[in-house]
Amino acid sequence: MPSSTKPIDTTPGSAPTEVHLLALIHGMWGQPAHLARFAEVMREIHGDTPKNGIRELDVLVAETNRENHTYDGVDWGAERVVKEIHNRINAIEKQNKKVTRFSLVGYSLGGLLSRYAIGILNSQGFFDKVTPVNFATVATPNIGLLVYPTFVSRLFRMLGPTFLSRTGEHFYATDVWEGVDASQKKPLLEVMSEKGGVFYDGLAKFKHVTIYANVVFVVYRINDRTVPFITAAIEPYDPFVAYARTGLEIDLDEKYPPLIKAYHLPEGPPPENPPAPRLFSKEWLLESTEGAGNRSTIMQVMRNIERGVEDTVVELMEDDVVKEAEVMLGVNGGIESRASTPTEGATTPMLPIEEEPPTDLVSKPAATSSSLRHRRRVSITYTPSSDPHSPYYSRRASIPPLPSRDLISRGPASTDQKSLENQPILSPAQLRMIRNLNALPNLRKEFVFLDNLRNSHATIVCRDLKQFAFHRRGEGVLRNFADGFEV
């Protein structure tokens, strides 16, 4: 609910109108239009003008990091956002208005940019003058992109920092920065999660911190293949990974579907797996048409044929199960060159080790947008778990607790091997990030269940309603945030 404040005096010579500035930041290869529906919902519920004497809400959808500029790294992207924020505040305050409150939402990569931008603003003393109120990340790789024990995942881990330029280095933690302790060299994402640093301490000042994460379920594909559950939810274990095989029962929020209200295992044995469709059979060709929006069946058939060829190639390369790629390397249109420069006059809390921002950065070429896929069905043994250290554990979880963090970091003993099947390989740095970020005050987590979609990553923010009507299924996520937004 909006906080109480004195009625705004609109008489001549009155004090400036109070303004709450909300900034929305899109993701990798994105553009402002991807968050257009998000902005519409916020304005629809809270309006652009004061109501009943409550301060005005102004919504800024960041524009300077669109498309190829997203290759330039978390730090440079955040610098551009901070410059946009200051420019917007200057424009607002020329209209006898004053920005007194500030909120920030980041979608996908935008969530990392948001967290870095908070560090810059905190180092500038911004929050001494403007009250930080609401912060949220939506499907954001908060602990970086994940590595699974498969050939394709390891391949992407090797190629990602090259094909995704500086942003890829940050995603896969191959960069080196000074931490809070200058003698310790760490990747940027870990530095951003360190207690006592400008990033963490700035984020801790927000009254409301909300994390929205797509749950991952495996039939023979991953629902959010771009940002899997563990990194989006900042959790060390994924209880949803074998949802379709364990019979895990998921109850959705009646008011805000597709948010999950509760989840638990049913009594009795799990349901039997349905037989896999034979390669290139009619059932196989038509399997993925449901939820395809306005795409033609012919295009779906062609894509399935392409996937079938890729599956065959992958099977020749390995016997293990290959997870669908957690990130699409490259952009539609094939190889492109990219050039950007750091924001002129930007203030950053720190610089990476042995790297000064060059006057011109020419990034390496992007890869094509196709990714290797594997659709062979396998038997998955699942031990339901949830992180007992997570702040929402007592509210959300209705299943047994997670194996110890030491078990995960060391690798399970042979007797526990199957309990951790299909889980990513988390580095010690990622485990430290999870521990620190889950200690944030006022942290709330919401899990989002969008089934029967090839990739729920776009749907969670209603990214492109004009082209894909089924993106409307993410509307409950936007309205959940808007209804809980403190003006």
Side-chain angles (χ1 to χ4, degrees), residues 202-256:
L203 186 55
K205 293 179 179 179
F206 280 75
K207 187 174 182 180
H208 308 283
V209 177
T210 308
I211 304 297
Y212 293 93
N214 275 319
V215 305
V216 173
F217 73 95
V218 174
V219 178
Y220 38 75
R221 58 177 175 269
I222 299 176
N223 207 24
D224 190 335
R225 59 175 175 250
T226 310
V227 181
F229 172 83
I230 281 180
T231 186
I234 319 176
E235 292 291 330
Y237 192 83
D238 184 353
F240 301 98
V241 70
Y243 150 79
R245 304 191 181 286
T246 63
L248 186 71
E249 295 179 355
I250 295 176
D251 299 327
L252 298 183
D253 191 303
E254 295 83 358
K255 186 176 181 180
Y256 303 109

Short mmCIF file of all heavy atoms in Angstrom, two decimals, residues 202-256:
data_model
loop_
_atom_site.label_atom_id
_atom_site.label_comp_id
_atom_site.label_asym_id
_atom_site.label_seq_id
_atom_site.Cartn_x
_atom_site.Cartn_y
_atom_site.Cartn_z
N GLY A 202 24.05 -1.08 -0.49
CA GLY A 202 23.04 -0.27 -1.16
C GLY A 202 21.75 -1.04 -1.34
O GLY A 202 20.65 -0.51 -1.10
N LEU A 203 21.85 -2.30 -1.75
CA LEU A 203 20.67 -3.13 -1.94
C LEU A 203 19.95 -3.37 -0.61
O LEU A 203 18.72 -3.41 -0.56
CB LEU A 203 21.07 -4.46 -2.58
CG LEU A 203 19.97 -5.43 -2.99
CD1 LEU A 203 18.97 -4.76 -3.91
CD2 LEU A 203 20.57 -6.66 -3.67
N ALA A 204 20.72 -3.51 0.47
CA ALA A 204 20.13 -3.76 1.78
C ALA A 204 19.32 -2.56 2.29
O ALA A 204 18.51 -2.71 3.20
CB ALA A 204 21.23 -4.11 2.79
N LYS A 205 19.51 -1.41 1.70
CA LYS A 205 18.77 -0.21 2.12
C LYS A 205 17.34 -0.19 1.59
O LYS A 205 16.51 0.58 2.08
CB LYS A 205 19.50 1.05 1.67
CG LYS A 205 20.84 1.27 2.36
CD LYS A 205 21.55 2.52 1.86
CE LYS A 205 22.87 2.74 2.58
NZ LYS A 205 23.59 3.95 2.08
N PHE A 206 17.03 -1.03 0.58
CA PHE A 206 15.69 -1.02 0.01
C PHE A 206 14.71 -1.70 0.99
O PHE A 206 15.01 -2.73 1.57
CB PHE A 206 15.67 -1.74 -1.33
CG PHE A 206 16.18 -0.89 -2.46
CD1 PHE A 206 17.54 -0.64 -2.61
CD2 PHE A 206 15.30 -0.31 -3.36
CE1 PHE A 206 18.02 0.15 -3.65
CE2 PHE A 206 15.76 0.49 -4.39
CZ PHE A 206 17.12 0.72 -4.53
N LYS A 207 13.55 -1.10 1.11
CA LYS A 207 12.55 -1.60 2.05
C LYS A 207 11.96 -2.93 1.60
O LYS A 207 11.60 -3.77 2.42
CB LYS A 207 11.44 -0.55 2.21
CG LYS A 207 10.43 -0.86 3.29
CD LYS A 207 9.46 0.29 3.48
CE LYS A 207 8.47 -0.02 4.60
NZ LYS A 207 7.52 1.10 4.80
N HIS A 208 11.83 -3.10 0.28
CA HIS A 208 11.27 -4.33 -0.27
C HIS A 208 12.22 -4.87 -1.35
O HIS A 208 12.54 -4.14 -2.30
CB HIS A 208 9.90 -4.09 -0.89
CG HIS A 208 8.93 -3.39 0.02
ND1 HIS A 208 8.27 -4.03 1.05
CD2 HIS A 208 8.52 -2.09 0.07
CE1 HIS A 208 7.50 -3.17 1.68
NE2 HIS A 208 7.62 -1.99 1.10
N VAL A 209 12.65 -6.10 -1.20
CA VAL A 209 13.51 -6.76 -2.19
C VAL A 209 12.79 -8.05 -2.61
O VAL A 209 12.58 -8.94 -1.80
CB VAL A 209 14.91 -7.08 -1.64
CG1 VAL A 209 15.74 -7.82 -2.68
CG2 VAL A 209 15.61 -5.80 -1.20
N THR A 210 12.42 -8.13 -3.90
CA THR A 210 11.64 -9.26 -4.38
C THR A 210 12.36 -9.95 -5.53
O THR A 210 12.87 -9.28 -6.44
CB THR A 210 10.24 -8.81 -4.86
OG1 THR A 210 9.62 -8.04 -3.83
CG2 THR A 210 9.37 -10.01 -5.19
N ILE A 211 12.39 -11.27 -5.48
CA ILE A 211 13.02 -12.08 -6.52
C ILE A 211 11.94 -12.92 -7.19
O ILE A 211 11.23 -13.68 -6.52
CB ILE A 211 14.09 -13.02 -5.92
CG1 ILE A 211 15.14 -12.23 -5.13
CG2 ILE A 211 14.74 -13.86 -7.02
CD1 ILE A 211 15.94 -11.27 -5.94
N TYR A 212 11.79 -12.79 -8.52
CA TYR A 212 10.88 -13.62 -9.29
C TYR A 212 11.70 -14.60 -10.12
O TYR A 212 12.60 -14.18 -10.85
CB TYR A 212 9.99 -12.78 -10.21
CG TYR A 212 9.01 -11.89 -9.48
CD1 TYR A 212 9.32 -10.58 -9.16
CD2 TYR A 212 7.75 -12.38 -9.11
CE1 TYR A 212 8.42 -9.76 -8.48
CE2 TYR A 212 6.84 -11.58 -8.45
CZ TYR A 212 7.17 -10.27 -8.13
OH TYR A 212 6.27 -9.47 -7.46
N ALA A 213 11.38 -15.88 -10.01
CA ALA A 213 12.16 -16.90 -10.71
C ALA A 213 11.23 -17.90 -11.39
O ALA A 213 10.29 -18.40 -10.76
CB ALA A 213 13.08 -17.64 -9.74
N ASN A 214 11.50 -18.19 -12.65
CA ASN A 214 10.81 -19.28 -13.33
C ASN A 214 11.28 -20.60 -12.76
O ASN A 214 12.48 -20.80 -12.56
CB ASN A 214 11.11 -19.25 -14.84
CG ASN A 214 10.19 -18.33 -15.60
OD1 ASN A 214 8.99 -18.27 -15.34
ND2 ASN A 214 10.75 -17.60 -16.56
N VAL A 215 10.33 -21.50 -12.49
CA VAL A 215 10.75 -22.83 -12.08
C VAL A 215 11.13 -23.60 -13.33
O VAL A 215 10.63 -23.35 -14.42
CB VAL A 215 9.64 -23.57 -11.30
CG1 VAL A 215 9.19 -22.76 -10.11
CG2 VAL A 215 8.47 -23.91 -12.20
N VAL A 216 12.02 -24.55 -13.16
CA VAL A 216 12.50 -25.37 -14.27
C VAL A 216 11.90 -26.76 -14.13
O VAL A 216 11.93 -27.33 -13.05
CB VAL A 216 14.04 -25.47 -14.25
CG1 VAL A 216 14.52 -26.45 -15.29
CG2 VAL A 216 14.66 -24.10 -14.48
N PHE A 217 11.33 -27.29 -15.15
CA PHE A 217 10.91 -28.67 -15.10
C PHE A 217 11.43 -29.38 -16.33
O PHE A 217 11.53 -28.81 -17.40
CB PHE A 217 9.39 -28.81 -14.98
CG PHE A 217 8.62 -28.50 -16.22
CD1 PHE A 217 8.25 -29.50 -17.09
CD2 PHE A 217 8.26 -27.19 -16.52
CE1 PHE A 217 7.53 -29.22 -18.24
CE2 PHE A 217 7.54 -26.90 -17.66
CZ PHE A 217 7.17 -27.91 -18.53
N VAL A 218 11.78 -30.66 -16.16
CA VAL A 218 12.37 -31.42 -17.24
C VAL A 218 11.41 -32.51 -17.68
O VAL A 218 11.05 -33.38 -16.91
CB VAL A 218 13.71 -32.05 -16.80
CG1 VAL A 218 14.24 -32.96 -17.89
CG2 VAL A 218 14.72 -30.96 -16.49
N VAL A 219 10.98 -32.45 -18.89
CA VAL A 219 10.36 -33.58 -19.55
C VAL A 219 11.40 -34.08 -20.53
O VAL A 219 11.99 -35.12 -20.37
CB VAL A 219 9.06 -33.19 -20.27
CG1 VAL A 219 8.48 -34.39 -20.98
CG2 VAL A 219 8.05 -32.65 -19.27
N TYR A 220 11.70 -33.29 -21.51
CA TYR A 220 12.95 -33.45 -22.26
C TYR A 220 13.42 -32.09 -22.73
O TYR A 220 14.05 -31.92 -23.73
CB TYR A 220 12.83 -34.41 -23.44
CG TYR A 220 11.53 -34.36 -24.19
CD1 TYR A 220 11.24 -33.32 -25.06
CD2 TYR A 220 10.60 -35.36 -24.00
CE1 TYR A 220 10.05 -33.29 -25.74
CE2 TYR A 220 9.40 -35.32 -24.68
CZ TYR A 220 9.13 -34.30 -25.54
OH TYR A 220 7.94 -34.25 -26.20
N ARG A 221 13.02 -31.07 -21.96
CA ARG A 221 13.53 -29.73 -22.23
C ARG A 221 13.43 -28.91 -20.94
O ARG A 221 12.75 -29.29 -20.00
CB ARG A 221 12.75 -29.05 -23.34
CG ARG A 221 11.27 -28.91 -23.11
CD ARG A 221 10.66 -28.15 -24.28
NE ARG A 221 9.22 -28.07 -24.19
CZ ARG A 221 8.39 -28.96 -24.72
NH1 ARG A 221 8.88 -30.00 -25.36
NH2 ARG A 221 7.09 -28.81 -24.62
N ILE A 222 14.08 -27.80 -20.92
CA ILE A 222 14.07 -26.91 -19.77
C ILE A 222 13.16 -25.73 -20.09
O ILE A 222 13.26 -25.14 -21.16
CB ILE A 222 15.48 -26.42 -19.44
CG1 ILE A 222 16.37 -27.61 -19.12
CG2 ILE A 222 15.47 -25.44 -18.30
CD1 ILE A 222 17.81 -27.22 -18.87
N ASN A 223 12.29 -25.39 -19.17
CA ASN A 223 11.30 -24.37 -19.46
C ASN A 223 11.95 -22.99 -19.63
O ASN A 223 11.75 -22.33 -20.63
CB ASN A 223 10.25 -24.34 -18.37
CG ASN A 223 8.91 -23.84 -18.86
OD1 ASN A 223 8.61 -23.93 -20.03
ND2 ASN A 223 8.11 -23.31 -17.96
N ASP A 224 12.68 -22.52 -18.63
CA ASP A 224 13.44 -21.29 -18.82
C ASP A 224 14.88 -21.70 -19.05
O ASP A 224 15.67 -21.85 -18.13
CB ASP A 224 13.34 -20.37 -17.60
CG ASP A 224 13.94 -18.99 -17.89
OD1 ASP A 224 14.81 -18.90 -18.76
OD2 ASP A 224 13.53 -18.01 -17.24
N ARG A 225 15.23 -21.91 -20.32
CA ARG A 225 16.58 -22.38 -20.63
C ARG A 225 17.58 -21.25 -20.58
O ARG A 225 18.78 -21.47 -20.59
CB ARG A 225 16.60 -23.04 -22.01
CG ARG A 225 16.16 -22.13 -23.15
CD ARG A 225 16.33 -22.82 -24.49
NE ARG A 225 15.79 -21.99 -25.56
CZ ARG A 225 14.69 -22.27 -26.24
NH1 ARG A 225 13.99 -23.34 -25.96
NH2 ARG A 225 14.27 -21.49 -27.21
N THR A 226 17.10 -20.01 -20.56
CA THR A 226 18.01 -18.87 -20.53
C THR A 226 18.54 -18.62 -19.12
O THR A 226 19.74 -18.48 -18.91
CB THR A 226 17.30 -17.61 -21.04
OG1 THR A 226 16.68 -17.91 -22.30
CG2 THR A 226 18.28 -16.46 -21.24
N VAL A 227 17.64 -18.56 -18.15
CA VAL A 227 18.03 -18.33 -16.75
C VAL A 227 17.33 -19.37 -15.88
O VAL A 227 16.20 -19.17 -15.43
CB VAL A 227 17.65 -16.91 -16.29
CG1 VAL A 227 18.09 -16.68 -14.85
CG2 VAL A 227 18.28 -15.85 -17.20
N PRO A 228 17.97 -20.51 -15.62
CA PRO A 228 17.36 -21.56 -14.81
C PRO A 228 17.04 -21.12 -13.38
O PRO A 228 17.55 -20.10 -12.89
CB PRO A 228 18.41 -22.67 -14.83
CG PRO A 228 19.21 -22.41 -16.05
CD PRO A 228 19.25 -20.93 -16.19
N PHE A 229 16.26 -21.93 -12.72
CA PHE A 229 15.72 -21.62 -11.40
C PHE A 229 16.79 -21.25 -10.38
O PHE A 229 16.66 -20.25 -9.67
CB PHE A 229 14.91 -22.82 -10.89
CG PHE A 229 14.47 -22.70 -9.47
CD1 PHE A 229 13.32 -22.00 -9.13
CD2 PHE A 229 15.19 -23.31 -8.44
CE1 PHE A 229 12.91 -21.88 -7.81
CE2 PHE A 229 14.78 -23.20 -7.12
CZ PHE A 229 13.64 -22.49 -6.80
N ILE A 230 17.84 -22.03 -10.28
CA ILE A 230 18.81 -21.85 -9.20
C ILE A 230 19.43 -20.46 -9.21
O ILE A 230 19.55 -19.81 -8.17
CB ILE A 230 19.88 -22.95 -9.26
CG1 ILE A 230 19.32 -24.24 -8.66
CG2 ILE A 230 21.16 -22.54 -8.54
CD1 ILE A 230 20.27 -25.41 -8.67
N THR A 231 19.83 -19.98 -10.37
CA THR A 231 20.47 -18.66 -10.41
C THR A 231 19.45 -17.54 -10.31
O THR A 231 19.74 -16.48 -9.76
CB THR A 231 21.34 -18.53 -11.68
OG1 THR A 231 22.07 -17.30 -11.64
CG2 THR A 231 20.50 -18.57 -12.95
N ALA A 232 18.24 -17.75 -10.83
CA ALA A 232 17.21 -16.71 -10.72
C ALA A 232 16.69 -16.61 -9.29
O ALA A 232 16.42 -15.50 -8.79
CB ALA A 232 16.06 -17.01 -11.67
N ALA A 233 16.54 -17.76 -8.61
CA ALA A 233 15.98 -17.77 -7.26
C ALA A 233 17.03 -17.64 -6.17
O ALA A 233 16.70 -17.54 -5.00
CB ALA A 233 15.19 -19.07 -7.04
N ILE A 234 18.31 -17.68 -6.56
CA ILE A 234 19.43 -17.62 -5.61
C ILE A 234 19.30 -18.77 -4.61
O ILE A 234 19.28 -18.59 -3.40
CB ILE A 234 19.50 -16.26 -4.88
CG1 ILE A 234 19.23 -15.10 -5.84
CG2 ILE A 234 20.87 -16.08 -4.23
CD1 ILE A 234 19.19 -13.74 -5.18
N GLU A 235 19.19 -19.97 -5.14
CA GLU A 235 19.04 -21.17 -4.32
C GLU A 235 20.10 -22.19 -4.73
O GLU A 235 20.47 -22.28 -5.89
CB GLU A 235 17.65 -21.77 -4.51
CG GLU A 235 16.52 -20.92 -3.94
CD GLU A 235 16.54 -20.88 -2.43
OE1 GLU A 235 16.98 -21.87 -1.80
OE2 GLU A 235 16.11 -19.86 -1.86
N PRO A 236 20.58 -23.02 -3.79
CA PRO A 236 21.61 -24.01 -4.12
C PRO A 236 21.06 -25.32 -4.65
O PRO A 236 21.83 -26.19 -5.04
CB PRO A 236 22.32 -24.23 -2.78
CG PRO A 236 21.23 -24.01 -1.77
CD PRO A 236 20.36 -22.92 -2.34
N TYR A 237 19.74 -25.48 -4.66
CA TYR A 237 19.15 -26.74 -5.09
C TYR A 237 17.84 -26.46 -5.80
O TYR A 237 17.08 -25.55 -5.41
CB TYR A 237 18.93 -27.65 -3.88
CG TYR A 237 18.58 -29.07 -4.23
CD1 TYR A 237 19.56 -29.99 -4.54
CD2 TYR A 237 17.25 -29.50 -4.26
CE1 TYR A 237 19.25 -31.31 -4.86
CE2 TYR A 237 16.92 -30.80 -4.57
CZ TYR A 237 17.93 -31.71 -4.88
OH TYR A 237 17.62 -33.00 -5.21
N ASP A 238 17.54 -27.23 -6.84
CA ASP A 238 16.34 -27.03 -7.64
C ASP A 238 15.34 -28.16 -7.35
O ASP A 238 15.50 -29.28 -7.83
CB ASP A 238 16.70 -27.02 -9.12
CG ASP A 238 15.51 -26.72 -10.01
OD1 ASP A 238 14.38 -26.66 -9.49
OD2 ASP A 238 15.71 -26.55 -11.23
N PRO A 239 14.30 -27.88 -6.57
CA PRO A 239 13.33 -28.93 -6.26
C PRO A 239 12.36 -29.21 -7.40
O PRO A 239 11.60 -30.17 -7.34
CB PRO A 239 12.57 -28.36 -5.05
CG PRO A 239 12.65 -26.89 -5.24
CD PRO A 239 13.99 -26.63 -5.87
N PHE A 240 12.38 -28.38 -8.45
CA PHE A 240 11.42 -28.52 -9.54
C PHE A 240 11.99 -29.24 -10.76
O PHE A 240 11.28 -29.48 -11.72
CB PHE A 240 10.92 -27.15 -9.99
CG PHE A 240 10.26 -26.36 -8.90
CD1 PHE A 240 10.97 -25.39 -8.21
CD2 PHE A 240 8.94 -26.58 -8.57
CE1 PHE A 240 10.37 -24.66 -7.20
CE2 PHE A 240 8.33 -25.86 -7.56
CZ PHE A 240 9.04 -24.90 -6.87
N VAL A 241 13.27 -29.57 -10.72
CA VAL A 241 13.93 -30.04 -11.93
C VAL A 241 13.30 -31.30 -12.49
O VAL A 241 13.31 -31.52 -13.70
CB VAL A 241 15.45 -30.24 -11.68
CG1 VAL A 241 15.70 -31.43 -10.77
CG2 VAL A 241 16.20 -30.39 -12.98
N ALA A 242 12.76 -32.14 -11.64
CA ALA A 242 12.16 -33.38 -12.12
C ALA A 242 10.66 -33.39 -11.90
O ALA A 242 10.04 -34.42 -11.71
CB ALA A 242 12.79 -34.57 -11.42
N TYR A 243 10.07 -32.22 -11.96
CA TYR A 243 8.64 -32.05 -11.68
C TYR A 243 7.77 -33.07 -12.40
O TYR A 243 6.90 -33.70 -11.81
CB TYR A 243 8.24 -30.62 -12.05
CG TYR A 243 6.80 -30.47 -12.50
CD1 TYR A 243 5.77 -30.42 -11.56
CD2 TYR A 243 6.49 -30.40 -13.85
CE1 TYR A 243 4.46 -30.29 -11.96
CE2 TYR A 243 5.18 -30.28 -14.25
CZ TYR A 243 4.16 -30.22 -13.31
OH TYR A 243 2.87 -30.10 -13.71
N ALA A 244 7.99 -33.25 -13.70
CA ALA A 244 7.10 -34.09 -14.50
C ALA A 244 7.25 -35.57 -14.15
O ALA A 244 6.36 -36.35 -14.44
CB ALA A 244 7.38 -33.88 -15.98
N ARG A 245 8.36 -35.95 -13.52
CA ARG A 245 8.60 -37.35 -13.26
C ARG A 245 8.26 -37.75 -11.83
O ARG A 245 7.98 -38.90 -11.55
CB ARG A 245 10.06 -37.69 -13.55
CG ARG A 245 10.43 -37.32 -14.97
CD ARG A 245 11.79 -37.89 -15.35
NE ARG A 245 12.13 -37.49 -16.70
CZ ARG A 245 11.59 -38.00 -17.79
NH1 ARG A 245 10.67 -38.93 -17.68
NH2 ARG A 245 11.93 -37.59 -18.99
N THR A 246 8.33 -36.80 -10.91
CA THR A 246 8.09 -37.12 -9.50
C THR A 246 6.63 -36.94 -9.12
O THR A 246 6.23 -37.37 -8.05
CB THR A 246 8.94 -36.21 -8.61
OG1 THR A 246 8.52 -34.86 -8.82
CG2 THR A 246 10.41 -36.35 -8.92
N GLY A 247 5.86 -36.28 -9.98
CA GLY A 247 4.48 -35.99 -9.62
C GLY A 247 4.36 -34.87 -8.62
O GLY A 247 3.34 -34.75 -7.93
N LEU A 248 5.37 -34.03 -8.52
CA LEU A 248 5.34 -32.89 -7.61
C LEU A 248 4.07 -32.08 -7.88
O LEU A 248 3.79 -31.70 -9.01
CB LEU A 248 6.57 -32.02 -7.83
CG LEU A 248 6.76 -30.85 -6.85
CD1 LEU A 248 7.14 -31.36 -5.47
CD2 LEU A 248 7.84 -29.90 -7.38
N GLU A 249 3.29 -31.85 -6.84
CA GLU A 249 2.03 -31.12 -6.99
C GLU A 249 2.27 -29.64 -6.73
O GLU A 249 2.86 -29.26 -5.72
CB GLU A 249 0.99 -31.68 -6.03
CG GLU A 249 0.59 -33.12 -6.36
CD GLU A 249 -0.44 -33.68 -5.40
OE1 GLU A 249 -0.77 -32.98 -4.41
OE2 GLU A 249 -0.91 -34.80 -5.63
N ILE A 250 1.82 -28.82 -7.65
CA ILE A 250 2.04 -27.39 -7.59
C ILE A 250 0.70 -26.68 -7.52
O ILE A 250 -0.17 -26.87 -8.37
CB ILE A 250 2.84 -26.90 -8.80
CG1 ILE A 250 4.25 -27.52 -8.78
CG2 ILE A 250 2.93 -25.39 -8.84
CD1 ILE A 250 5.08 -27.18 -10.00
N ASP A 251 0.51 -25.87 -6.49
CA ASP A 251 -0.70 -25.07 -6.33
C ASP A 251 -0.40 -23.63 -6.71
O ASP A 251 0.52 -23.02 -6.15
CB ASP A 251 -1.20 -25.12 -4.89
CG ASP A 251 -1.55 -26.54 -4.44
OD1 ASP A 251 -2.02 -27.31 -5.31
OD2 ASP A 251 -1.34 -26.86 -3.26
N LEU A 252 -1.16 -23.09 -7.66
CA LEU A 252 -0.95 -21.73 -8.11
C LEU A 252 -1.76 -20.74 -7.29
O LEU A 252 -2.83 -21.06 -6.76
CB LEU A 252 -1.31 -21.59 -9.59
CG LEU A 252 -0.50 -22.43 -10.57
CD1 LEU A 252 -0.93 -22.12 -12.00
CD2 LEU A 252 1.00 -22.20 -10.40
N ASP A 253 -1.26 -19.55 -7.20
CA ASP A 253 -1.96 -18.46 -6.52
C ASP A 253 -3.22 -18.11 -7.30
O ASP A 253 -3.15 -17.85 -8.50
CB ASP A 253 -1.02 -17.24 -6.43
CG ASP A 253 -1.56 -16.17 -5.52
OD1 ASP A 253 -2.68 -15.69 -5.76
OD2 ASP A 253 -0.85 -15.78 -4.58
N GLU A 254 -4.36 -18.11 -6.63
CA GLU A 254 -5.61 -17.85 -7.33
C GLU A 254 -5.67 -16.44 -7.91
O GLU A 254 -6.21 -16.22 -9.00
CB GLU A 254 -6.81 -18.06 -6.39
CG GLU A 254 -7.01 -19.48 -5.91
CD GLU A 254 -6.13 -19.82 -4.71
OE1 GLU A 254 -5.35 -18.94 -4.29
OE2 GLU A 254 -6.23 -20.96 -4.21
N LYS A 255 -5.10 -15.48 -7.22
CA LYS A 255 -5.15 -14.09 -7.67
C LYS A 255 -4.06 -13.77 -8.68
O LYS A 255 -4.27 -12.95 -9.58
CB LYS A 255 -5.05 -13.14 -6.47
CG LYS A 255 -5.25 -11.68 -6.84
CD LYS A 255 -5.22 -10.78 -5.61
CE LYS A 255 -5.44 -9.32 -5.99
NZ LYS A 255 -5.42 -8.43 -4.80
N TYR A 256 -2.91 -14.41 -8.52
CA TYR A 256 -1.77 -14.08 -9.37
C TYR A 256 -1.18 -15.32 -10.05
O TYR A 256 0.00 -15.62 -9.88
CB TYR A 256 -0.66 -13.39 -8.55
CG TYR A 256 -1.09 -12.14 -7.84
CD1 TYR A 256 -1.21 -12.12 -6.45
CD2 TYR A 256 -1.37 -10.99 -8.55
CE1 TYR A 256 -1.59 -10.97 -5.78
CE2 TYR A 256 -1.76 -9.82 -7.88
CZ TYR A 256 -1.87 -9.82 -6.50
OH TYR A 256 -2.26 -8.69 -5.85
#
